[in-house]
């Protein structure tokens, strides 16, 4: 079945550092790809998404490009802030019946930014 | 427009008791999904429902777990005779039936179940 593999954490960086969190996937079809962020004690919030190859999703300074040739969707940010500390999940959409889609998640990467 | 609502936020049960988790989707959303997050793991799909119908329950344990989404009222995830291994965060998500956002799921804050 479809699966998502994320870079293992935890990741600790200093403020204003460059961030990359790697994500690769295996899928039989052409899924949409997502990054979700989870702050402590909260639910998941959609950070960005891309629906087809070469699409770039971006939000709040974060970017990720859908790379079909390398089956990757790496998350990047040029200058991280303390407030970016959270757990980041990469996910793909897997087709269910009746047109709906379930999300298949990676294991999550815990990011800590030190001042 | 209120987001996805879940209650309770925290639920404590003793082994053998029943747990009922509720989810109200976003206004205008007719698709509801339940996911389970075990400690330090990613979310795992459990079940997908539309109003009055279970569409896909391939991720739900065959015993003790059930879900419904009645015509009126919230979706309910029910766990009978809970065991310690059921301790987890349970998240509900919703999406619209069609349109550009149909592939995007919006998550509630989750219910954290602790089984003593």
């Amino acid at each position: 079945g479809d699966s998502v593999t994320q870079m293992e954490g935890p990741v600790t960086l200093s403020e204003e550092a460059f961030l990359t969190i790697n994500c690769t996937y295996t899928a039989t079809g052409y899924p949409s790809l997502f990054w979700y962020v989870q702050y402590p004690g909260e639910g998941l919030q959609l950070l960005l998404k891309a629906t087809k190859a070469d699409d770039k999703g971006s939000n709040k300074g974060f970017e990720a490009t859908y790379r079909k040739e390398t089956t990757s969707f790496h998350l990047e940010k040029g200058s991280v802030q303390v407030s970016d500390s959270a757990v980041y999940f990469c996910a793909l959409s897997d087709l269910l019946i009746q047109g709906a889609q379930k999300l298949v998640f990676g294991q999550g990467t815990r990011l800590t930014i030190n001042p | 427009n209120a987001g996805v609502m879940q209650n309770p936020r925290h639920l404590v049960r003793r082994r053998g008791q029943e747990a009922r988790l509720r989810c109200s989707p976003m206004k205008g959303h007719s698709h509801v999904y339940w996911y389970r997050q075990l400690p330090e793991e990613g979310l795992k799909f459990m079940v997908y429902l539309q109003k009055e119908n279970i569409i896909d329950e391939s991720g739900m344990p065959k015993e003790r777990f059930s879900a419904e989404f009645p015509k009126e009222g919230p979706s309910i995830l029910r766990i009978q005779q809970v065991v310690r291994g059921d301790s987890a965060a349970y998240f509900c998500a919703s999406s619209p039936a069609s349109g550009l956002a149909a592939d995007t799921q919006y998550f509630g804050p989750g219910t954290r179940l602790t089984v003593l």
Side-chain angles (χ1 to χ4, degrees), chain B residues 20 23 31 33 42 50 54 75 81 92 98 114:
Chain B
R20 281 188 180 233
C23 168
H31 294 194
Y33 307 79
Q50 297 177 15
I54 297 174
S75 175
Q81 299 175 330
C92 170
S98 60
T114 302

Side-chain angles (χ1 to χ4, degrees), chain B residues 9-114:
Chain B
R9 294 290 304 274
H10 300 273
L11 183 60
V12 179
R13 286 287 178 265
R14 296 191 179 279
R15 281 179 297 170
Q17 291 184 320
E18 178 179 287
R20 281 188 180 233
L21 289 62
R22 294 174 186 78
C23 168
S24 296
M26 284 180 70
K27 188 176 180 180
H29 286 191
S30 58
H31 294 194
V32 167
Y33 307 79
W34 285 93
Y35 292 83
R36 177 166 64 176
Q37 184 182 31
L38 294 171
E40 302 301 319
E41 292 187 15
L43 280 72
K44 297 287 195 296
F45 168 78
M46 299 181 74
V47 61
Y48 158 54
L49 310 103
Q50 297 177 15
K51 283 285 186 183
E52 300 185 277
N53 283 301
I54 297 174
I55 307 301
D56 188 308
E57 55 183 346
S58 58
M60 201 146 73
K62 296 290 185 287
E63 297 180 353
R64 301 188 297 108
F65 285 72
S66 62
E68 63 178 16
F69 189 16
K71 187 176 179 182
E72 300 291 338
S75 175
I76 306 286
L77 180 67
R78 182 181 178 205
I79 311 172
Q80 295 179 291
Q81 299 175 330
V82 295
V83 300
R84 288 218 174 102
D86 297 333
S87 295
Y90 292 83
F91 290 96
C92 170
S94 71
S95 68
S98 60
L100 290 175
D103 69 341
T104 300
Q105 295 178 22
Y106 297 86
F107 282 79
T111 294
R112 280 157 180 81
L113 173 65
T114 302

Side-chain angles (χ1 to χ4, degrees), chain A residues 64-87:
Chain A
T65 301
Y66 192 143
R67 300 285 187 203
K68 187 165 174 287
E69 64 276 11
T70 54
T71 62
S72 65
F73 193 54
H74 305 321
L75 183 67
E76 297 182 335
K77 186 175 185 181
S79 176
V80 292
Q81 306 300 313
V82 172
S83 56
D84 294 328
S85 298
V87 180

Side-chain angles (χ1 to χ4, degrees), chain A residues 23-57:
Chain A
C23 171
T24 57
Y25 67 92
T26 58
T28 51
Y30 301 96
S32 295
L33 301 174
F34 305 83
W35 278 99
Y36 280 85
V37 58
Q38 184 179 34
Y39 297 101
E42 298 185 11
L44 275 70
Q45 299 175 25
L46 177 65
L47 182 60
L48 53 84
K49 72 174 189 179
T51 57
K52 60 184 188 299
D54 299 325
D55 267 4
K56 178 186 282 189

